[in-house]
Amino acid sequence: VGANFRIPFVWRSWMAGIGWRQSETDLVAMQFRRAGPYAHISFNSAIRRGYQISPESGTSFSMLHQSYLEDFGNLGYNKTNLSFRQFAPSLFDRHALMLGVAGTYAPDLENTLFATTTIGGNYTTNQLIQPFLVRGYPSGNLLGKNMGAVSLEYRFPIADVYRGWGTFPLFIKQVKGAI
């Protein structure tokens, strides 16, 4: 449960939020509960426009701090996540470069079940959210309390399809690539 809001009297690209997170993980003989407040702040000036396959300029930054309290579960620790992305246009139309930096810091975490993996969260995290994806290693292969990753991507269009099949609820807009 949480609330996000624009920060008043500053540029509209700044947002902040506060809330409460709670999760439970049941194993055969154990149950782990963690709960506590969180706060985040973010800035985003990277906007995808028109036929762009990715933002071609701008910056995004976010910082989230979560404090899991032992009084509300059986795990207590603090965790801070940071991410930064810088977009730049390429020499070719609709191509872009993206520099990404992500990090997580949880020095008090003792149970590796809740450590960060190379897919960016617990072992069951959606693989589309991948701030710590390390190419060449299987997803979830690396695990840590404190983790950082730097990536440089070259993003380019492969095809503009803009087609569907009759009334079938599937429409393909673009095919993109990233190296």
Side-chain angles (χ1 to χ4, degrees), residues 23 26 31 99 130 161:
S23 68
D26 293 320
Q31 181 182 37
L99 171 66
Q130 33 183 292
V161 180

Side-chain angles (χ1 to χ4, degrees), residues 130-143:
Q130 33 183 292
F132 299 108
L133 179 67
V134 180
R135 298 191 197 286
Y137 290 92
S139 295
N141 195 41
L142 303 175
L143 178 70

Side-chain angles (χ1 to χ4, degrees), residues 4 6 8 24 26 29 35 45 54 72-73 126 131:
N4 294 324
R6 300 249 180 235
E24 289 187 22
D26 293 320
S45 66
S54 166
F72 295 95
N126 180 345

Side-chain angles (χ1 to χ4, degrees), residues 32-62:
F32 296 100
R33 290 186 318 273
R34 59 185 183 159
Y38 72 85
H40 74 85
I41 187 166
S42 65
F43 170 82
N44 186 16
S45 66
I47 299 170
R48 182 178 160 207
R49 294 180 174 90
Y51 287 108
Q52 294 177 342
I53 61 155
S54 166
E56 294 179 6
S57 64
T59 303
S60 66
F61 165 80
S62 69

